[in-house]
Structure formats: C-alpha cells, structure tokens
C-alpha cells in the first residue's frame, strides 16, 4: 500500500488552480436574457401593475404575441420602448448644465 505525501507546493498549486477556476466562474458572462417574457416577468422587470401592463398593450405602446391565452413580450421590444421614452435631464435651478464647479 503506497502512501502519498502532500507537500506545501502541492497545496499552493491546488490553491492557485482553485482560485483560477473560481475567478473564471465569477467573471464569466451572465446568462443571456430570455428572448420572450411572460406578463408576470414584464411586470416584475418594469415594476408595474397588471392594469398598467394592459394599458400599455391597449394603447399600442408595447407590442405582444398571444399564444394559447398566454401573452408574450419580446425583450428587445421592451428595450426599444424604454429607449424611445427616455427623457434627458433638463437643467433647472438645482442642476443647471451651465454651472460648472
């Protein structure tokens, strides 16, 4: 029966490999966003009520697809709506753009 001795160098090598693996896991790209979202996911994402979501559908602000009674929203369409309705900050008494410090 052979006995294997673990040295400090073995432990240091193991530590280095373990840290490299953990670093790769944490720095990897996050999971890709789903292409289609259900109503509950959209409501949570935008922090809106079901009535507000229905109004966005009715007035044509938000496009959707209905399959078998389930409504789906394209994630790309949500991003387009948010970008389209983006409001630039306007200078006011408390935040004038011309005031440089």
């Amino acid at each position: 029966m052979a006995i294997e001795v673990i040295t400090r160098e073995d432990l240091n090598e193991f530590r280095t490999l373990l840290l490299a693996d953990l670093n790769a896991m944490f720095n990897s790209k996050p999971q890709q966003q789903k292409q289609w979202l259900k109503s509950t996911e959209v409501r949570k994402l935008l922090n809106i009520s079901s009535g507000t979501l229905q109004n966005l559908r009715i007035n044509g602000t938000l496009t959707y697809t209905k399959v078998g009674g389930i409504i789906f929203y394209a994630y790309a369409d949500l991003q387009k709506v948010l970008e389209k309705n983006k409001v630039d900050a306007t200078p006011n008494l408390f935040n004038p753009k011309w005031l440089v410090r």
Side-chain angles (χ1 to χ4, degrees), residues 82-101:
L82 291 173
E83 283 296 324
K84 179 182 172 188
N85 292 297
K86 184 190 278 187
V87 177
D88 290 329
T90 55
N92 59 34
L93 181 61
F94 301 107
N95 183 23
K97 286 186 177 180
W98 51 267
L99 181 62
V100 178
R101 292 185 188 208

Side-chain angles (χ1 to χ4, degrees), residues 41-97:
E41 295 168 317
V42 173
R43 287 182 22 234
K44 286 180 186 176
L45 185 66
L46 299 178
N47 194 24
I48 58 175
S49 68
S50 56
T52 300
L53 185 56
Q54 182 177 5
N55 285 336
L56 293 173
R57 282 195 313 265
I58 290 170
N59 66 24
T61 301
L62 195 54
T63 59
Y64 62 95
T65 301
K66 189 171 183 179
V67 178
I70 300 173
I71 299 175
F72 294 95
Y73 303 87
Y75 184 78
D77 289 345
L78 289 171
Q79 287 180 314
K80 287 178 189 175
V81 168
L82 291 173
E83 283 296 324
K84 179 182 172 188
N85 292 297
K86 184 190 278 187
V87 177
D88 290 329
T90 55
N92 59 34
L93 181 61
F94 301 107
N95 183 23
K97 286 186 177 180

